[in-house]
């Protein structure tokens, strides 16, 4: 997984780079939002997730989030913040921020949030793919159904011809097996998109974030 970290604090940036690299991630760094956008333009196919600080000189993390969303709508983004204000969280959610982590945090906590966002992204992508594939599955099922109807009609015309009846019954059997294969494909894809449901105390989350002070 290729991660880009955006932070104006050099020590923090290098610490995160080393820590995530040791955990097996490939890491690209940017010292400000402008450099991050340049990196995305040059490496947009190679960046799988962005971790950005909120408070940065010039363009802050919120504006960076908005800029990224204009061109990279599905790119997962995690925002680091010490502010913890409700308005910040709400604004970030409106701009489709995928995750938050409040400073100070441990490397384990960051990795946990990265993996949570990664799994959510995979599930959302699978759900989108399923919506696109459903019309194709319907079309694939309609073809063997038409074959079944055709063999039944022709079979009714050859009730006194055992060989012809055998051919039509075999055709019906093949079409039925084809439908069963398609059904298995649908079930396998559906298992990939099962939603994981868990209770979240929104008020507690916002209160916890509100406790943070400016860095």
């Amino acid at each position: 997984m290729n991660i880009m970290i955006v932070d104006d604090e050099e020590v923090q940036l290098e610490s995160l780079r080393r820590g995530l690299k040791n955990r097996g991630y490939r890491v690209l760094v940017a010292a400000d939002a402008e450099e991050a956008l340049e990196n995305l333009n040059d490496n947009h196919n190679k960046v799988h997730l962005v971790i950005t600080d909120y408070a940065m000189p010039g363009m802050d993390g919120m504006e960076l989030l908005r800029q990224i969303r204009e061109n990279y709508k599905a790119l997962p983004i995690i925002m680091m913040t010490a502010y913890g204000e409700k308005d910040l969280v709400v604004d970030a959610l409106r701009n489709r921020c995928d995750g938050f982590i409040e400073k100070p945090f441990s490397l384990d906590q960051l990795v946990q949030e990265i993996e949570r966002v990664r799994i959510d992204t995979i599930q959302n992508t699978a759900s989108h793919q399923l919506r696109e594939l459903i019309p194709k599955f319907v079309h694939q099922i309609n073809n063997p159904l038409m074959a079944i109807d055709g063999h039944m009609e022709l079979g009714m015309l050859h009730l006194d011809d055992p060989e012809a009846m055998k051919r039509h019954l075999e055709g019906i059997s093949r079409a039925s097996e084809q439908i069963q294969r398609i059904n298995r494909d649908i079930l396998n894809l559906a298992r990939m998109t099962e939603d994981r449901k868990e209770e979240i105390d929104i008020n507690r989350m916002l209160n916890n974030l509100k406790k943070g002070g400016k860095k």
Side-chain angles (χ1 to χ4, degrees), residues 131-143:
R131 289 192 296 271
E132 291 184 342
L133 287 173
I134 283 176
K136 297 179 182 179
F137 282 132
V138 171
H139 177 72
Q140 290 176 5
I141 291 175
N142 282 338
N143 288 336

Side-chain angles (χ1 to χ4, degrees), residues 89-139:
V89 175
V90 172
D91 194 13
L93 289 173
R94 285 174 178 168
N95 287 278
R96 303 192 307 283
C97 188
D98 300 277
F100 299 89
I101 188 160
E102 185 179 3
K103 297 179 179 178
F105 54 82
S106 68
L107 183 61
D108 286 339
Q109 290 173 321
L110 179 58
V111 169
Q112 184 178 8
E113 182 67 1
I114 290 171
E115 291 304 307
R116 183 195 66 78
V117 170
R118 183 183 67 84
I119 291 172
D120 286 347
T121 301
I122 291 173
Q123 291 179 332
N124 291 335
T125 300
S127 298
H128 177 71
Q129 290 174 340
L130 180 59
R131 289 192 296 271
E132 291 184 342
L133 287 173
I134 283 176
K136 297 179 182 179
F137 282 132
V138 171
H139 177 72

